[in-house]
Amino acid sequence: MKTRLSVNLNKIALLRNARGKNFPDLDKYARLCLDSGVKGITLHPRPDQRHATYADVIAMSTIVSEYDGAELNIEGNPIDRFMEVVLENKPHQCTLVPDTPNQITSDHGWDLKKDAQKVTRIVRKLKDSGIRVSLFMDADLEQIEIAKNTGTDRIELYTEEYASSYGTKDSEGVFEIYRSAALFANKIGLQVNAGHDLNLINLEKFLTIGNIKEVSIGHAIIVESLDYGMENTIKKYLKILNA
Ligand code: PXP
């Protein structure tokens, strides 16, 4: 099975929220991705809703349901409001992330030595509702073993360290840690997703691990869209100005 790309649309929501109007329109870019063959959309509504909002989750559930085989992944810290929205909208997958309210971005996986009981309760609630569950985890075998006991279907490996070591002298060693973590997870019956700081340059190597079910990518897709699309846009402006 091929690895699914789930495009995280939070950065487009951030840009929209900067002006208080619906521009850029999140729905348009979700459709652009889905019409281009992408089979996954991710939203990460944070408690302060500074990127994707809870209302976006409702709209996105409808859009994704119009596309055959496409999946919606809603990720975030399972605070009460998040859980209400997820249980009402029933995305295909819910990725639980231990982020704190003012965190710039997710920067660590669950510490299940501390949070296993709470996480197990939430995993059960989501699964009882028919939602596949994934836990955002560091590449740490001991933690991954506890993750299995929570009843989760999948883990999402937090790939920041892989990405930041890519192309340095440490890259092979760090890659090996991720490879071992993914293989171990598979061996004990967990499916593996991955995300954070993956991009057009470092993705291919990561996928050589094999059997990665999904990669969730947001930030780089927006930056790379500037790289590959801004020149064209500037030319269009100049054409109008020079006419
Ligand atoms: N996975 C999780 C749990 C995240 O919080 C994020 C960022 O919101 C991503 C994946 C995607 O990371 P990036 O935006 O660096 O591609």
Side-chain angles (χ1 to χ4, degrees):
M1 260 267 294
K2 276 198 295 192
T3 303
R4 182 186 298 264
L5 169 63
S6 190
V7 178
N8 179 319
L9 295 176
N10 265 41
K11 280 285 142 62
I12 296 178
L14 179 69
L15 205 55
R16 175 198 62 194
N17 298 351
R19 286 296 180 92
K21 293 182 183 157
N22 192 28
F23 180 70
D25 179 355
L26 209 59
D27 300 3
K28 174 181 161 185
Y29 291 95
R31 288 187 189 282
L32 185 151
C33 293
L34 294 161
D35 287 335
S36 307
V38 162
K39 295 285 185 197
I41 296 290
T42 290
L43 290 180
H44 187 145
R46 293 179 187 274
D48 60 7
Q49 300 189 73
R50 66 184 190 271
H51 309 136
T53 65
Y54 294 119
D56 289 329
V57 173
I58 300 169
M60 209 54 62
S61 300
T62 308
I63 292 175
V64 173
S65 71
E66 292 169 18
Y67 288 80
D68 243 13
E71 291 194 352
L72 178 63
N73 172 49
I74 301 299
E75 63 184 28
N77 191 321
I79 58 170
D80 291 349
R81 182 72 185 116
F82 177 91
M83 287 299 288
E84 268 170 35
V85 171
V86 167
L87 291 168
E88 271 167 28
N89 290 281
K90 294 201 190 339
H92 303 83
Q93 177 175 271
C94 178
T95 303
L96 303 177
V97 186
D99 53 6
T100 50
N102 295 317
Q103 214 166 280
I104 292 178
T105 184
S106 315
D107 62 7
H108 59 279
W110 285 98
D111 177 359
L112 294 174
K113 288 182 192 166
K114 187 163 70 71
D115 289 327
Q117 259 192 345
K118 170 181 131 180
V119 170
T120 303
R121 226 178 20 250
I122 294 164
V123 168
R124 192 171 308 132
K125 206 179 236 180
L126 291 166
K127 289 191 64 168
D128 284 350
S129 194
I131 300 166
R132 189 173 73 229
V133 184
S134 182
L135 299 182
F136 195 53
M137 301 296 295
D138 297 314
D140 175 324
L141 303 197
E142 213 181 335
Q143 291 283 348
I144 291 170
E145 191 158 24
I146 310 175
K148 173 68 183 162
N149 297 331
T150 66
T152 191
D153 304 285
R154 295 189 181 184
I155 57 166
E156 178 184 330
L157 287 174
Y158 168 49
T159 46
E160 191 279 334
E161 200 184 346
Y162 163 75
S164 56
S165 73
Y166 187 86
T168 73
K169 64 176 178 24
D170 298 327
S171 70
E172 278 309 315
V174 174
F175 173 72
E176 202 41 53
I177 292 171
Y178 279 87
R179 205 174 76 87
S180 306
L183 296 181
F184 176 70
N186 279 169
K187 194 172 127 201
I188 62 173
L190 290 169
Q191 297 186 321
V192 177
N193 296 342
H196 223 283
D197 296 303
L198 295 174
N199 60 35
L200 282 174
I201 297 185
N202 63 31
L203 177 62
E204 199 172 345
K205 165 92 175 168
F206 193 83
L207 295 181
T208 63
I209 289 174
N211 207 22
I212 302 294
K213 293 291 177 200
E214 178 177 291
V215 286
S216 161
I217 306 182
H219 188 75
I221 288 179
I222 303 309
V223 176
E224 288 155 351
S225 297
L226 294 179
D227 288 343
Y228 294 109
M230 193 164 182
E231 197 178 333
N232 269 333
T233 308
I234 297 291
K235 279 186 185 151
K236 285 181 194 286
Y237 275 95
L238 292 179
K239 196 168 166 207
I240 294 171
L241 292 163
N242 295 333

mmCIF file of all heavy atoms in Angstrom, residues 99-119:
data_model
loop_
_atom_site.group_PDB
_atom_site.id
_atom_site.type_symbol
_atom_site.label_atom_id
_atom_site.label_comp_id
_atom_site.label_asym_id
_atom_site.label_seq_id
_atom_site.Cartn_x
_atom_site.Cartn_y
_atom_site.Cartn_z
ATOM 1 N N ASP A 99 0.008 18.855 23.026
ATOM 2 C CA ASP A 99 0.530 20.221 22.937
ATOM 3 C C ASP A 99 -0.109 21.116 24.006
ATOM 4 O O ASP A 99 -1.218 20.869 24.456
ATOM 5 C CB ASP A 99 0.354 20.809 21.529
ATOM 6 C CG ASP A 99 -1.064 20.719 21.021
ATOM 7 O OD1 ASP A 99 -1.955 20.302 21.793
ATOM 8 O OD2 ASP A 99 -1.301 21.068 19.864
ATOM 9 N N THR A 100 0.622 22.153 24.374
ATOM 10 C CA THR A 100 0.101 23.081 25.383
ATOM 11 C C THR A 100 -0.443 24.318 24.649
ATOM 12 O O THR A 100 -0.061 24.580 23.505
ATOM 13 C CB THR A 100 1.205 23.480 26.375
ATOM 14 O OG1 THR A 100 2.349 23.886 25.634
ATOM 15 C CG2 THR A 100 1.579 22.319 27.265
ATOM 16 N N PRO A 101 -1.317 25.108 25.302
ATOM 17 C CA PRO A 101 -2.030 26.181 24.596
ATOM 18 C C PRO A 101 -1.145 27.165 23.824
ATOM 19 O O PRO A 101 -1.475 27.536 22.720
ATOM 20 C CB PRO A 101 -2.785 26.892 25.721
ATOM 21 C CG PRO A 101 -2.995 25.832 26.743
ATOM 22 C CD PRO A 101 -1.794 24.944 26.678
ATOM 23 N N ASN A 102 0.001 27.574 24.393
ATOM 24 C CA ASN A 102 0.762 28.620 23.708
ATOM 25 C C ASN A 102 1.953 28.108 22.908
ATOM 26 O O ASN A 102 2.791 28.890 22.474
ATOM 27 C CB ASN A 102 1.228 29.670 24.721
ATOM 28 C CG ASN A 102 0.036 30.382 25.312
ATOM 29 O OD1 ASN A 102 -0.897 30.726 24.585
ATOM 30 N ND2 ASN A 102 0.036 30.555 26.628
ATOM 31 N N GLN A 103 2.009 26.820 22.723
ATOM 32 C CA GLN A 103 3.117 26.234 21.985
ATOM 33 C C GLN A 103 3.086 26.699 20.524
ATOM 34 O O GLN A 103 2.025 26.704 19.898
ATOM 35 C CB GLN A 103 2.904 24.718 22.016
ATOM 36 C CG GLN A 103 4.139 23.905 22.077
ATOM 37 C CD GLN A 103 3.791 22.465 22.458
ATOM 38 O OE1 GLN A 103 3.584 22.137 23.618
ATOM 39 N NE2 GLN A 103 3.715 21.632 21.459
ATOM 40 N N ILE A 104 4.255 27.077 19.986
ATOM 41 C CA ILE A 104 4.303 27.538 18.590
ATOM 42 C C ILE A 104 3.846 26.423 17.665
ATOM 43 O O ILE A 104 3.083 26.617 16.736
ATOM 44 C CB ILE A 104 5.742 27.983 18.212
ATOM 45 C CG1 ILE A 104 6.110 29.244 18.985
ATOM 46 C CG2 ILE A 104 5.857 28.237 16.716
ATOM 47 C CD1 ILE A 104 7.496 29.737 18.735
ATOM 48 N N THR A 105 4.367 25.234 17.930
ATOM 49 C CA THR A 105 3.963 24.060 17.149
ATOM 50 C C THR A 105 4.156 22.832 18.034
ATOM 51 O O THR A 105 4.770 22.926 19.099
ATOM 52 C CB THR A 105 4.786 23.960 15.846
ATOM 53 O OG1 THR A 105 4.293 22.862 15.072
ATOM 54 C CG2 THR A 105 6.266 23.764 16.096
ATOM 55 N N SER A 106 3.633 21.686 17.600
ATOM 56 C CA SER A 106 3.806 20.464 18.399
ATOM 57 C C SER A 106 5.297 20.144 18.449
ATOM 58 O O SER A 106 5.947 20.089 17.405
ATOM 59 C CB SER A 106 3.074 19.302 17.739
ATOM 60 O OG SER A 106 1.795 19.714 17.318
ATOM 61 N N ASP A 107 5.832 19.944 19.658
ATOM 62 C CA ASP A 107 7.281 19.705 19.705
ATOM 63 C C ASP A 107 7.703 18.507 20.549
ATOM 64 O O ASP A 107 8.863 18.369 20.889
ATOM 65 C CB ASP A 107 8.026 20.976 20.155
ATOM 66 C CG ASP A 107 7.641 21.405 21.563
ATOM 67 O OD1 ASP A 107 6.911 20.658 22.243
ATOM 68 O OD2 ASP A 107 8.093 22.487 21.977
ATOM 69 N N HIS A 108 6.763 17.643 20.873
ATOM 70 C CA HIS A 108 7.124 16.386 21.557
ATOM 71 C C HIS A 108 5.946 15.415 21.489
ATOM 72 O O HIS A 108 4.799 15.834 21.318
ATOM 73 C CB HIS A 108 7.506 16.636 23.023
ATOM 74 C CG HIS A 108 6.419 17.270 23.826
ATOM 75 N ND1 HIS A 108 6.160 18.624 23.803
ATOM 76 C CD2 HIS A 108 5.493 16.729 24.665
ATOM 77 C CE1 HIS A 108 5.145 18.899 24.607
ATOM 78 N NE2 HIS A 108 4.715 17.774 25.135
ATOM 79 N N GLY A 109 6.297 14.143 21.646
ATOM 80 C CA GLY A 109 5.241 13.126 21.680
ATOM 81 C C GLY A 109 4.724 12.956 23.105
ATOM 82 O O GLY A 109 5.184 13.626 24.048
ATOM 83 N N TRP A 110 3.773 12.031 23.247
ATOM 84 C CA TRP A 110 3.197 11.759 24.577
ATOM 85 C C TRP A 110 4.233 11.147 25.505
ATOM 86 O O TRP A 110 5.052 10.325 25.076
ATOM 87 C CB TRP A 110 2.036 10.769 24.453
ATOM 88 C CG TRP A 110 0.802 11.385 23.895
ATOM 89 C CD1 TRP A 110 0.375 11.325 22.601
ATOM 90 C CD2 TRP A 110 -0.174 12.157 24.616
ATOM 91 N NE1 TRP A 110 -0.804 12.029 22.462
ATOM 92 C CE2 TRP A 110 -1.167 12.539 23.681
ATOM 93 C CE3 TRP A 110 -0.309 12.569 25.939
ATOM 94 C CZ2 TRP A 110 -2.264 13.308 24.044
ATOM 95 C CZ3 TRP A 110 -1.413 13.335 26.299
ATOM 96 C CH2 TRP A 110 -2.376 13.699 25.357
ATOM 97 N N ASP A 111 4.156 11.529 26.775
ATOM 98 C CA ASP A 111 4.887 10.814 27.810
ATOM 99 C C ASP A 111 3.879 9.877 28.460
ATOM 100 O O ASP A 111 3.140 10.265 29.363
ATOM 101 C CB ASP A 111 5.461 11.795 28.840
ATOM 102 C CG ASP A 111 6.177 11.049 29.963
ATOM 103 O OD1 ASP A 111 6.194 9.789 29.920
ATOM 104 O OD2 ASP A 111 6.695 11.710 30.871
ATOM 105 N N LEU A 112 3.853 8.646 27.982
ATOM 106 C CA LEU A 112 2.807 7.723 28.448
ATOM 107 C C LEU A 112 3.145 7.092 29.790
ATOM 108 O O LEU A 112 2.295 6.445 30.397
ATOM 109 C CB LEU A 112 2.536 6.663 27.380
ATOM 110 C CG LEU A 112 1.915 7.233 26.096
ATOM 111 C CD1 LEU A 112 1.802 6.164 25.028
ATOM 112 C CD2 LEU A 112 0.547 7.860 26.361
ATOM 113 N N LYS A 113 4.373 7.314 30.254
ATOM 114 C CA LYS A 113 4.660 6.860 31.627
ATOM 115 C C LYS A 113 3.820 7.712 32.581
ATOM 116 O O LYS A 113 3.479 7.285 33.663
ATOM 117 C CB LYS A 113 6.150 7.029 31.937
ATOM 118 C CG LYS A 113 7.002 6.018 31.198
ATOM 119 C CD LYS A 113 8.452 6.183 31.573
ATOM 120 C CE LYS A 113 9.309 5.383 30.618
ATOM 121 N NZ LYS A 113 10.712 5.752 30.703
ATOM 122 N N LYS A 114 3.524 8.925 32.148
ATOM 123 C CA LYS A 114 2.748 9.850 32.965
ATOM 124 C C LYS A 114 1.253 9.806 32.584
ATOM 125 O O LYS A 114 0.398 9.808 33.449
ATOM 126 C CB LYS A 114 3.320 11.268 32.738
ATOM 127 C CG LYS A 114 2.772 12.352 33.607
ATOM 128 C CD LYS A 114 3.681 13.580 33.602
ATOM 129 C CE LYS A 114 3.705 14.338 32.340
ATOM 130 N NZ LYS A 114 2.761 15.123 31.762
ATOM 131 N N ASP A 115 0.963 9.751 31.282
ATOM 132 C CA ASP A 115 -0.409 10.011 30.811
ATOM 133 C C ASP A 115 -1.169 8.778 30.299
ATOM 134 O O ASP A 115 -2.228 8.922 29.691
ATOM 135 C CB ASP A 115 -0.372 11.046 29.672
ATOM 136 C CG ASP A 115 -0.025 12.428 30.190
ATOM 137 O OD1 ASP A 115 -0.413 12.750 31.326
ATOM 138 O OD2 ASP A 115 0.653 13.178 29.460
ATOM 139 N N ALA A 116 -0.614 7.574 30.526
ATOM 140 C CA ALA A 116 -1.227 6.384 29.906
ATOM 141 C C ALA A 116 -2.700 6.209 30.271
ATOM 142 O O ALA A 116 -3.532 5.915 29.407
ATOM 143 C CB ALA A 116 -0.446 5.129 30.271
ATOM 144 N N GLN A 117 -3.036 6.429 31.535
ATOM 145 C CA GLN A 117 -4.435 6.184 31.960
ATOM 146 C C GLN A 117 -5.401 7.106 31.232
ATOM 147 O O GLN A 117 -6.399 6.669 30.673
ATOM 148 C CB GLN A 117 -4.542 6.443 33.455
ATOM 149 C CG GLN A 117 -4.533 5.150 34.258
ATOM 150 C CD GLN A 117 -4.938 5.394 35.697
ATOM 151 O OE1 GLN A 117 -4.959 6.524 36.160
ATOM 152 N NE2 GLN A 117 -5.255 4.327 36.398
ATOM 153 N N LYS A 118 -5.044 8.401 31.239
ATOM 154 C CA LYS A 118 -5.895 9.398 30.582
ATOM 155 C C LYS A 118 -6.016 9.091 29.084
ATOM 156 O O LYS A 118 -7.104 9.088 28.512
ATOM 157 C CB LYS A 118 -5.268 10.791 30.798
ATOM 158 C CG LYS A 118 -5.878 11.895 29.995
ATOM 159 C CD LYS A 118 -5.186 13.223 30.251
ATOM 160 C CE LYS A 118 -4.842 13.882 28.940
ATOM 161 N NZ LYS A 118 -4.165 15.158 29.080
ATOM 162 N N VAL A 119 -4.861 8.802 28.463
ATOM 163 C CA VAL A 119 -4.870 8.560 27.011
ATOM 164 C C VAL A 119 -5.674 7.298 26.692
ATOM 165 O O VAL A 119 -6.454 7.266 25.726
ATOM 166 C CB VAL A 119 -3.418 8.473 26.480
ATOM 167 C CG1 VAL A 119 -3.379 7.977 25.047
ATOM 168 C CG2 VAL A 119 -2.739 9.833 26.589
#
